[in-house]
Amino acid sequence: MPGDQRTLRVCALYPDLMNIYADRGNMLLLERRCQWRGIGFALTAASIGDEVDPDAHDLFYLGGGQDRDQQLCAEDLYEVKRAPLHAAAARGAVVLGICGGIQLLGDHYELGTERVPGIGLVDLVTRRAIDGSRLIGNVAIEVELPGLDGPRVLAGFENHGGRTHLGAAERPLGRVLKGHGNDGRSGFEGVRRDNVIGTYLHGPLLPKNAWFADYLLATALGIDPASLPPLDDTLEDAAHASARRAAGV
Ligand code: GLN
């Protein structure tokens, strides 16, 4: 587990390329919620060619990207960062992949005749719809996470051309209440294997779901989410309620 429980060490993967839809805002929210509680926050960027130390970070973040940007990152992610990310996940670090990120956490992403490699942290494949249609809109899912007292709602926005299919033994992050989810049919959204989490919800995930940011930061620090000092979440609760309303939940 992390060396210093009072500093959340985050590694943003390809923040220059995989950053559509408010990924910087997600980092900012984590930083502020740490700061307000007297927890340190250290952010490191790792882009193409940069080595990653699996023990130096508590949370690895892989944001959303256009197909073009994803293709640019995929080879480097596979060649340079796959082994350290597997090592980090094995010791319990949080790995969070959003949208293009979830697609690259799986086995591969098929774009017509091209196959973009993923790093196989979870068992899933993604295929671009043959007709090029996209799954777009507000979305809400119900999730159950270890250490939380019951099901919670994550609300956000999805916009993806890929259809993601989970392997038989793999579990989704949540159940779709409103929206399309992984493939528009299964009722599954995202993926979660221990602390490796993928989701299509972005725009911006954490500011709309501050409870989830707290879950992630506590899990990354190896502490019980219930032990985090509460914050004045008046604005965050309003953002969450608004995102739920937009999704119709
Ligand atoms: N390029 C991927 C797709 O369209 C992911 C898009 C995104 O990150 N918004 O399926």
Side-chain angles (χ1 to χ4, degrees), residues 7-27:
T7 296
L8 180 71
R9 303 167 304 167
V10 176
C11 179
L13 296 160
Y14 314 103
D16 48 341
L17 293 164
M18 300 291 278
N19 65 2
I20 51 175
Y21 299 114
D23 292 288
R24 277 183 292 265
N26 285 329
M27 296 296 99

Side-chain angles (χ1 to χ4, degrees), residues 20-21 64-65 67 70 99-100 103 109 128 134 159-162 202:
I20 51 175
Y21 299 114
D67 288 345
Q70 249 174 284
C99 207
Q103 298 174 342
Y109 178 26
R128 182 104 182 161
R134 302 187 69 81
N159 180 355
H160 48 111
H202 49 53

